[in-house]
Amino acid sequence: MTNRLDGRIAAVTGAASGNGRAIAEKLLADGATLVAIDLNPDALASVFGDRPEVLQVQADVADEASVKAGMAKIAEAFGRLDILVNNAGIVKFGTFEELSRAEWDQVFAVNSTGPFLVSREAYGLLRAGDGDHTRAIVNITSVEAHIVISSSGHPQIHYNASKGALLQLTRALAVEAASSGIRVNAVAPGFIETPFTAEALGKEEVRNWLLERTPMGRIGKPEDVANGVAFLASDDASWVTGTTLFVDGGWTIY
Ligand code: NAD
């Protein structure tokens, strides 16, 4: 817990569960005022209750009208935004030959198009942000944007491709946004214990294989991801843009 985000307005998508929830709690603990965005309003309400420092916004990041309506609520409440974390994402498994167009589109809509829409609609608010500090977009990609872990027994070509697209969105937007004082970075988690990975991590052979394969010898926690995000969101990273911070216990070393 620090005060390095005191006075900052931070929005986190997918804030009601897993990594997003931990990111939201970490940004709050570091002093930020939070906009918690999620598809699921009941989950948002049960996680954040009626905490005054949290504005809950129900929105579907894959739906343009919904994103616009969500950003209008932030504009009305604060008139600016200092930190945006594009965390909402979905995972689907399936072999390439059986992969339907609909499922491919769904994964891209949430994991790649979602961060594009949210960032574009938030851009004016970020430009209006606290000029005493750099403003930051942090995109949650995955080690799967860089490597393919098909040996886990879970082929997911659409997920790999969608996170690869988000990686390049991060790098390209970093160039364009730099002159506005907005930094754009990615955090690439390895396997993290969340509802997203519960099924895979529930299998003993998968868990053992992961532990053997991870130099740090443990599965990641959402708080590990959150700590990386908080660094990139803060002025501690004021000259860091267009890069990826791997939070993977060393998985991608090999
Ligand atoms: P999770 O399923 O626990 O939480 C995802 C949250 O996003 C949920 O609250 C869900 O309601 C919300 N969400 C889903 N679709 C949405 C939409 N269209 N609009 C708004 N909100 C939506 O998942 P998680 O494990 O916390 O994953 C979060 C992010 O971390 C994802 O982008 C995922 O790809 C990434 N990631 C996770 C892992 C891991 O091992 N858990 C590893 C690498 C990357």
Side-chain angles (χ1 to χ4, degrees):
M1 181 167 169
T2 72
N3 59 0
R4 64 183 168 179
L5 300 181
D6 269 0
R8 242 64 71 81
I9 314 290
V12 179
T13 68
S17 174
N19 292 330
R21 180 178 179 174
I23 293 164
E25 293 293 359
K26 173 63 179 163
L27 300 184
L28 281 165
D30 282 358
T33 296
L34 181 77
V35 184
I37 303 172
D38 206 283
L39 190 57
N40 185 337
D42 297 336
L44 274 180
S46 78
V47 169
F48 297 105
D50 51 11
R51 289 161 70 175
E53 71 279 30
V54 182
L55 173 67
Q56 297 171 33
V57 174
Q58 191 278 331
D60 178 352
V61 300
D63 181 281
E64 193 164 358
S66 177
V67 171
K68 281 182 193 282
M71 286 302 148
K73 286 184 185 150
I74 301 176
E76 192 188 340
F78 305 110
R80 66 172 227 266
L81 190 63
D82 303 310
I83 296 161
L84 168 65
V85 184
N86 283 307
N87 163 80
I90 55 171
V91 67
K92 302 274 175 188
F93 304 116
T95 57
F96 180 59
E97 279 190 290
E98 288 162 6
L99 188 53
S100 70
R101 169 70 194 263
E103 194 168 290
W104 172 276
D105 285 348
Q106 187 192 8
V107 168
F108 263 76
V110 180
N111 294 0
S112 314
T113 307
F116 155 65
L117 289 173
V118 176
S119 302
R120 192 193 64 190
E121 293 306 318
Y123 204 65
L125 292 170
L126 286 161
R127 280 156 64 108
D130 181 350
D132 292 339
H133 302 281
T134 59
R135 267 96 354 88
I137 297 175
V138 184
N139 294 324
I140 307 303
T141 55
S142 170
V143 294
E144 301 254 15
H146 302 259
I147 58 169
V148 177
I149 315 180
S150 55
S151 46
S152 68
H154 290 92
Q156 45 183 191
I157 281 174
H158 41 350
Y159 183 78
N160 286 106
S162 71
K163 290 295 186 178
L166 182 55
L167 167 62
Q168 279 300 71
L169 186 157
T170 303
R171 289 156 51 85
L173 183 56
V175 174
E176 197 164 325
S179 60
S180 299
I182 301 170
R183 299 177 296 101
V184 189
N185 290 290
V187 167
F191 277 82
I192 310 292
E193 197 116 39
T194 72
F196 191 87
T197 50
E199 194 195 327
L201 291 175
K203 293 178 185 150
E204 206 182 327
E205 67 277 15
V206 174
R207 180 174 280 273
N208 289 339
W209 173 74
L210 285 169
L211 289 173
E212 278 165 26
R213 178 69 182 63
T214 304
M216 291 301 289
R218 69 167 171 84
I219 309 289
K221 295 178 291 193
E223 291 73 21
D224 295 317
V225 176
N227 288 334
V229 171
F231 163 67
L232 288 170
S234 77
D235 275 348
D236 289 349
S238 63
W239 211 48
V240 180
T241 197
T243 197
T244 293
L245 177 62
F246 288 87
V247 179
D248 66 354
W251 182 282
T252 44
I253 294 169
Y254 303 125

